[in-house]
Amino acid sequence: MIDETMKIPQHVAIIMDGNGRWAKAHKVPRQLGHKEGCQTLEQTVEDAARLGIKYLTVYAFSTENWKRSEEEVSALMQLFRFYAKRLLGIAKTNNVRVRMIGERSRFAPDLVEAIGRLERETQQNTGLTFVIAVNYGSRDEMVRAGRRMLADAAEGRLKPEELTEQVFSDYLDTAGMPDPDLLIRTSGEERLSNFLLWQLAYTEFYFTDIYWPDFNKEELEKAIAYYNGRDRRFGGRNEA
Ligand code: IPE
Ligand code: IPE
Ligand code: MG
């Protein structure tokens, strides 16, 4: 479906939704849906790297997801532990640089360490940058950024007139990254659920009814084909 005339988006963001409904449809426990979802993610990282996408940002766990049952939250934490180890191998094989966004101090110390190690040991890789949003919420990110701006202002490092959109961006967890060109949300929901509110200002949105565990390369290519059919404007005028 993808041919050489197609424009590959530089940065693709994905809200991986529908693991629970996938599990329900298959009459298996929710946790199994999350496990399948992790496998889909592994494959998607490889597909994205091969397609030449430069940045892939995925929403894995939101600041609101702590409200789920203790059983589900701890199952998800166990999966993160397991995949953090696996991901190191995958990243090394595929020349992928891994980066986490979100507030990590709420995680268990061994998980914080595993995340740090993943980032450190893949820092020099030059292929795909794979960004995982864990304990991420856009409002939380902006509030944390705001606090740092205020602290810098109080110490004279930042003056009100120096605060520009660029400087503001540099205080966010996504500092240094281009904004997403394409956002994909699976499972039929059409909302942002507190994901990258600032960064998605001009992003094209693609929604599919497919549950995340059923997402695959063909679906990714469909989203890219849709993106190619859009006429991106950035506030300018539509060309006839
Ligand atoms: C997405 O699947 C994974 C996480 C939010 C961790 P869900 O668990 O939200 O699945 P549904 O939306 O209940 O089907
Ligand atoms: C968004 O999905 C968060 C992730 C995919 C990690 P949710 O399933 O948590 O979002 P809501 O509750 O449907 O908005
Ligand atoms: Mg959901």
Side-chain angles (χ1 to χ4, degrees), residues 17 185-188 208-216 219 222:
D17 199 11
R185 182 167 186 156
T186 57
S187 90
T208 168
D209 286 337
I210 293 245
Y211 295 143
W212 175 249
D214 290 330
F215 191 83
N216 55 28
E219 295 299 324
K222 258 192 228 169

Side-chain angles (χ1 to χ4, degrees), residues 137-154:
S138 197
R139 289 177 175 180
D140 177 68
E141 176 191 36
M142 287 196 245
V143 168
R144 284 187 285 105
R147 284 192 186 139
R148 275 187 285 120
M149 287 178 223
L150 288 171
D152 284 349

Side-chain angles (χ1 to χ4, degrees), residues 17-19 21 30 68 185 187 189 191:
D17 199 11
N19 293 350
R21 276 162 286 167
R30 263 187 96 79
R68 296 189 178 196
R185 182 167 186 156
S187 90
E189 307 303 334
R191 58 178 169 274

Side-chain angles (χ1 to χ4, degrees), residues 12 18 44 64 88 117 131 153 156 161 183 200 216 233:
V12 176
T44 305
E64 287 71 33
L88 195 55
R117 182 166 173 220
V131 185
E161 61 276 17
L183 170 81
L200 294 174
N216 55 28
R233 285 204 284 166

Side-chain angles (χ1 to χ4, degrees), residues 23-92:
K24 199 167 179 203
H26 288 79
K27 299 190 168 54
V28 296
R30 263 187 96 79
Q31 273 83 304
L32 217 64
H34 293 314
K35 207 165 154 233
E36 281 293 319
C38 286
Q39 257 146 41
T40 301
L41 180 56
E42 249 186 62
Q43 188 57 53
T44 305
V45 171
E46 291 187 18
D47 293 340
R50 279 197 206 109
L51 281 169
I53 292 168
K54 288 282 164 224
Y55 294 84
L56 175 71
T57 300
V58 301
Y59 206 3
F61 192 87
S62 76
T63 46
E64 287 71 33
N65 287 150
W66 296 104
K67 291 185 199 136
R68 296 189 178 196
S69 75
E70 209 187 306
E71 190 193 1
E72 183 168 359
V73 169
S74 75
L76 284 166
M77 293 302 141
Q78 269 312 104
L79 271 178
F80 291 155
R81 250 183 210 101
F82 180 73
Y83 275 93
K85 284 207 192 84
R86 270 181 77 88
L87 190 54
L88 195 55
I90 295 164
K92 285 181 176 170

